[in-house]
Amino acid sequence: KILRNVSNDMDLFTITGQGWHFVKYLGPAVCVVGPDCRSERNQARVMAGPTYQGIFPKVATLPPSVQHCIWMVSVPLLYPRLEAVESLAGAVATGKKVVNTSYNILGKVTSSVAGVVGGKDVVAQGFTQVKKAVGKSGLMGNVLNQFGEIDIAEILKDMWTHDSKDLERTYFIRTLQGISQQKGIRMTFLSGDVNCAGAGLVHDPTHPSDHKTMYQVITSPIVAQPASNYILKLLHNNKSLYVPQNGHKSNHEVSDSKEDMMEIFHTDASGSARELKKLMGRRNYVAVVAYDPETVAGGPGGVGGSQYAGSIINGGQQQQQQQGLQKLSLAVDFVVQGDGAFTAPTKYGPVIVPHLEFGR
């Protein structure tokens, strides 16, 4: 009620009256947008159409000083597909319903008859074991357990990359590419909720680092159980993925926007070589720093020998007024937990999110 009575958008704001969003500034050059990806979510969408029509104009009218826009989106927009698991999970979910229904009916009848001859408990236990064999501890146990005690099919539906969210995801990406070109702002997604760490990007291979290039940073889990190697192996596939034009379903035909995950985890936290280099199944967090590549060594325009740009150093605003706003890039480091409770964490990176030249 208090937020609804606020006449400006300095704090949380709502567009439909259901979801609450924010736009915050980390200095004059970096903006963070936090869309509410939960309140309006249903089986067919993440956010309502009017919400996009309300948020996009706010981003399109950001001050000219903004060079980077970080979207805090709970689930990654750019992520490897689990299409085989999705199909299998759907089949298993259907099979489990059939097995449960059939054996529940048959089990009741058989147990009742067996009760006459004193074998009711034995028969009931037998049918319970059959149902378990098709359930979470049996046929699909290794997959289902990684996502907790719920159906994996429901988890996959929650992803941006699921078929039910396909058109919305394309609209989201393509619209931001257009705003990026008009404003000269680099768009980056910061997400989690998938129990592994990684970084990816959507880009035009023929025009590297232009406005179509957007980065995806994934940091997860911080506390929860990391994903198993089995899931990570399924995610480390080499299928080529492309974003279609707006209004078209994804068929992964070649387009001007290719999706790729970056190979940044070449060694494990234990020091051993890793086969799976794109995603890391350990607890982690990321540190993001804005810096000016031209002054990173503390040369002309540097701030007291610091590697960071004036926009994020205390008192740096005066220097910016004298020299103009620097062209900032973002450096993203992954800090990953080691094997033991007292083992020092391992740093991976940095992943560099480059400045976008206006008009590119």
Side-chain angles (χ1 to χ4, degrees):
K1 184 176 179 181
I2 294 175
L3 289 173
R4 294 182 193 278
N5 291 330
V6 176
S7 60
N8 59 64
D9 295 343
M10 294 300 292
D11 208 327
L12 297 177
F13 62 89
T14 183
I15 296 167
T16 63
Q18 191 172 0
W20 293 89
H21 324 278
F22 65 82
V23 177
K24 299 293 183 182
Y25 295 90
L26 303 179
V30 180
C31 173
V32 179
V33 180
D36 184 344
C37 295
R38 282 293 161 190
S39 298
E40 298 173 343
R41 180 184 289 266
N42 59 31
Q43 292 287 342
R45 75 178 190 206
V46 178
M47 291 185 288
T51 297
Y52 288 103
Q53 295 163 17
I55 292 179
F56 285 151
K58 293 181 182 295
V59 178
T61 55
L62 288 171
S65 63
V66 175
Q67 301 178 34
H68 289 271
C69 183
I70 301 174
W71 290 77
M72 295 185 65
V73 183
S74 54
V75 180
L77 268 88
L78 308 176
Y79 196 64
R81 306 300 192 268
L82 277 172
E83 293 173 351
V85 176
E86 188 175 315
S87 300
L88 185 58
V92 169
T94 303
K96 283 168 60 181
K97 290 179 181 178
V98 173
V99 170
N100 280 330
T101 303
S102 301
Y103 277 97
N104 279 339
I105 295 173
L106 183 59
K108 287 179 181 178
V109 174
T110 310
S111 295
S112 298
V113 174
V116 178
V117 294
K120 186 173 182 178
D121 291 340
V122 175
V123 173
Q125 184 179 4
F127 279 103
T128 300
Q129 295 304 317
V130 172
K131 287 194 289 183
K132 282 185 177 180
V134 189
K136 295 179 178 62
S137 60
L139 181 61
M140 284 290 285
N142 289 335
V143 176
L144 292 171
N145 288 340
Q146 307 308 322
F147 293 89
E149 294 300 311
I150 51 179
D151 196 331
I152 189 174
E154 296 303 314
I155 291 294
L156 293 173
K157 284 181 183 178
D158 208 33
M159 301 289 288
W160 279 99
T161 51
H162 189 266
D163 184 66
S164 61
K165 315 296 189 303
D166 183 61
L167 289 174
E168 181 181 1
R169 174 180 177 270
T170 298
Y171 169 68
F172 196 173
I173 291 173
R174 288 297 187 179
T175 303
L176 289 187
Q177 286 178 333
I179 296 174
S180 180
Q181 184 180 29
Q182 294 171 4
K183 296 284 293 182
I185 298 176
R186 178 71 70 197
M187 303 291 179
T188 301
F189 302 109
L190 177 60
S191 310
D193 206 30
V194 289
N195 292 342
C196 61
L201 74 164
V202 57
H203 63 114
D204 184 348
T206 62
H207 297 87
S209 297
D210 72 352
H211 67 277
K212 293 186 289 294
T213 300
M214 298 190 292
Y215 287 78
Q216 171 73 72
V217 177
I218 305 168
T219 174
S220 171
I222 296 176
V223 176
Q225 180 71 24
S228 70
N229 278 337
Y230 178 72
I231 293 294
L232 294 180
K233 284 182 180 179
L234 292 175
L235 291 167
H236 276 75
N237 55 67
N238 294 319
K239 182 177 180 180
S240 295
L241 303 173
Y242 292 88
V243 179
Q245 294 301 317
N246 224 341
H248 293 266
K249 295 280 288 184
S250 294
N251 54 16
H252 301 305
E253 292 183 359
V254 176
S255 73
D256 61 358
S257 295
K258 187 176 187 292
E259 298 179 45
D260 282 308
M261 296 299 294
M262 304 169 69
E263 294 189 351
I264 56 179
F265 303 108
H266 294 275
T267 58
D268 203 349
S270 62
S272 60
R274 283 178 57 85
E275 176 189 359
L276 309 176
K277 300 179 177 64
K278 298 177 182 178
L279 297 169
M280 170 70 80
R282 288 178 179 268
R283 294 183 180 91
N284 65 91
Y285 66 88
V286 296
V288 183
V289 173
Y291 74 102
D292 183 352
E294 295 181 1
T295 61
V296 70
V303 184
S306 170
Q307 62 177 334
Y308 303 135
S311 63
I312 57 171
I313 296 292
N314 292 333
Q317 292 183 353
Q318 181 179 0
Q319 184 197 41
Q320 285 189 350
Q321 293 173 359
Q322 295 173 352
Q323 299 182 359
L325 196 65
Q326 293 106 324
K327 297 178 180 179
L328 302 184
S329 296
L330 301 180
V332 182
D333 283 315
F334 290 83
V335 182
V336 177
Q337 184 183 42
D339 288 324
F342 302 102
T343 305
T346 303
K347 183 179 78 68
Y348 295 88
V351 174
I352 303 299
V353 180
H355 168 82
L356 176 62
E357 294 291 342
F358 183 80
R360 284 199 62 189

